[in-house]
């Protein structure tokens, strides 16, 4: 696992269809040291605080390996932070990391809280109307960290997994359970009961079980 890019950005206007919305999805790489608080990197921001940000979505992470697929799909190069992520990293594929895994990230300690659910703003950013759906279908969603211990992070910092959650529910598996309305009831129950899973994911799963 290796950090490739640290990215932050403040809310800015984003054109969507025939209107303009505010979004923090436009992020740019930084070379300076950043302080990671329990709600995210200082200097970063979100416009929609209902669906983005907060303690369970403090850091958005995306795998470097997926960039080649999307560049081939769209037949063009993609800039850094093309998926609005705070951290672009190698070796963090959705099939290899689990909800509840703990990592050392520079001076901070972080934990995977949930997969990322792509929204229309990602499609708007790239002028690709079906991009959110394509991200969901490929499973190349990325995921979020919550912050267990605050601290400074820089691009040369180490990213190291220190704990693998014993349930071993991968991000890929969690995505499949959430997005498949016919998922096995036992799997839905298992995921909904995972203590480390963000509450915003637990709630809809519990509703399905009812």
């Amino acid at each position: 696992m290796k950090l490739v890019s640290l990215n932050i950005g403040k809310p800015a206007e984003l054109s969507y269809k025939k209107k303009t919305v505010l979004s923090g999805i436009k992020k740019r790489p930084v070379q300076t040291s950043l302080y990671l608080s329990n709600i995210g990197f200082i200097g970063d921001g979100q416009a929609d605080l209902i669906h983005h940000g907060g303690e369970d979505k403090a850091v958005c992470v995306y795998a470097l390996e997926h960039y080649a697929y999307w560049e081939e799909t769209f037949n063009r190069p993609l800039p850094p932070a093309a998926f609005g992520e705070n951290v672009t990293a190698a070796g963090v594929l959705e099939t290899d990391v689990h909800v509840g895994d703990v990592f050392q990230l520079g001076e901070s300690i972080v934990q995977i809280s949930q997969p990322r659910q792509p929204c229309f703003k990602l499609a708007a950013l790239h002028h690709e109307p079906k991009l959110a759906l394509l991200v969901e279908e490929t499973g190349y969603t990325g995921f979020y960290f919550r912050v267990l211990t605050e601290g400074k992070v820089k691009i040369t910092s180490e990213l190291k997994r220190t704990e693998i959650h014993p349930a071993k529910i991968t991000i890929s598996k969690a995505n499949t359970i959430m997005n498949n309305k016919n998922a096995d009831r036992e799997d839905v129950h298992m995921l909904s009961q995972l203590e480390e899973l963000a509450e915003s994911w637990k709630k809809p799963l519990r509703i399905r079980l009812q």
Side-chain angles (χ1 to χ4, degrees), residues 92-177:
V92 291
L93 297 177
E94 291 82 355
T95 52
D96 297 333
V97 297
H98 316 87
V99 178
D101 283 1
V102 177
F103 297 75
Q104 183 81 38
L105 176 59
E107 295 179 355
S108 68
I109 299 175
V110 294
Q111 181 181 53
I112 296 180
S113 56
Q114 66 167 83
R116 178 191 186 175
Q117 289 179 297
C119 71
F120 74 91
K121 294 175 183 176
L122 188 58
L125 179 65
H126 293 286
H127 307 288
E128 296 286 350
K130 296 183 179 180
L131 183 53
L133 178 61
L134 290 172
V135 168
E136 181 180 304
E137 289 178 345
T138 58
Y140 298 165
T141 60
F143 55 86
Y144 287 102
F145 282 143
R146 65 166 60 90
V147 178
L148 304 181
T149 302
E150 299 181 354
K152 291 182 180 179
V153 184
K154 52 187 177 181
I155 192 59
T156 56
S157 293
E158 183 178 31
L159 173 63
K160 179 181 180 181
R161 180 161 52 182
T162 57
E163 295 179 29
I164 297 177
H165 193 277
K168 293 186 177 180
I169 301 176
T170 64
I171 291 299
S172 180
K173 177 69 171 179
N175 276 326
T176 298
I177 294 171

Side-chain angles (χ1 to χ4, degrees), residues 14-51:
L14 181 67
S15 297
Y16 176 66
K17 295 184 177 179
K18 295 183 179 181
K19 62 181 180 180
T20 299
V21 296
L22 276 180
S23 173
I25 199 170
K26 295 180 180 179
K27 301 191 187 300
R28 297 291 182 268
V30 295
Q31 299 301 318
T32 56
S33 175
L34 297 174
Y35 188 81
L36 180 56
S37 75
N38 69 326
I39 58 171
F41 286 109
I42 301 300
D44 192 43
Q46 297 82 31
D48 179 2
L49 297 179
I50 295 177
H51 299 101

Side-chain angles (χ1 to χ4, degrees), residues 178-190:
M178 176 62 83
N179 297 326
N180 180 8
K181 299 306 179 184
N182 297 314
D184 185 85
R185 182 177 176 85
E186 184 175 327
D187 285 343
V188 176
H189 180 267
M190 174 182 62

